[in-house]
Amino acid sequence: MAAPGGGLEPLARTVSGHAQIHLLGFMGCGKSTVARLLARRLVWNYLDLDVLIARHAGASISAIFATEGEAGFRDMESHVLRQAVQKPRTVVALGGGTMLLEPNRELVARHAMSVWLRASFETCRLRVGDGAGRPLFGDLEGARNLFRARQDDYARATLQIDAEDDPNGIAARIEGVARRL
Ligand code: S3P
């Protein structure tokens, strides 16, 4: 039920006391697409961490990796995450590597109900295509190793959801969970 003035305060309070939902998982699992659809369903804001990083740097993700290296990219990622968690009633699409760093994991745990979109490596690979714009998806074996190595970090999410289905169905299921909490 919407609050007077058209806001969604009652729902915001019921999502585990958090006013944000963070979507996480490997490159190509559908974080950005599902986040956009979910935000529309909830009438919440939508943020994409990669978009915020590119805007912050004034450069593409690939250019940041090329000039600053992965470490420089991770610093910017943590910086924009600290800003993003301040915004109420927001669905945030995290980057595939956001959960690698403990300070990021703490921010996510403190500010959001987080959802791991679990898709197989094959599904992610098909969705990513040629890997353009994703410097860490350049070589297939390297990406497969990253996929395996990151499972435990993704498993720290509040919830896990099978992300093989179509994005609209996934968004609907997350909305259902959020509204029941
Ligand atoms: C990364 C994933 C990318 C982007 C950057 C690093 C990773 O985001 O943040 O290329 O380490 O997995 P997506 O998961 O949205 O592709």
Side-chain angles (χ1 to χ4, degrees), residues 19-92:
Q20 295 207 337
I21 297 174
H22 291 186
L23 302 188
L24 60 93
F26 201 62
M27 293 172 269
C29 71
K31 299 180 290 291
S32 303
T33 307
V34 174
R36 210 178 299 116
L37 293 168
L38 178 61
R40 198 178 300 156
R41 284 172 172 276
L42 295 171
V43 199
W44 280 19
N45 304 297
Y46 157 70
L47 289 175
D48 186 311
L49 223 54
D50 285 342
V51 172
L52 296 178
I53 295 165
R55 197 179 297 154
H56 171 77
S60 70
I61 302 296
S62 300
I64 299 168
F65 268 78
T67 56
E68 313 288 332
E70 183 173 352
F73 173 84
R74 297 292 171 211
D75 284 347
M76 291 183 204
E77 185 174 43
S78 298
H79 174 78
V80 300
L81 178 63
R82 283 194 294 276
Q83 295 182 330
V85 296
Q86 307 303 327
K87 194 166 183 171
R89 294 185 292 283
T90 301
V91 181
V92 184

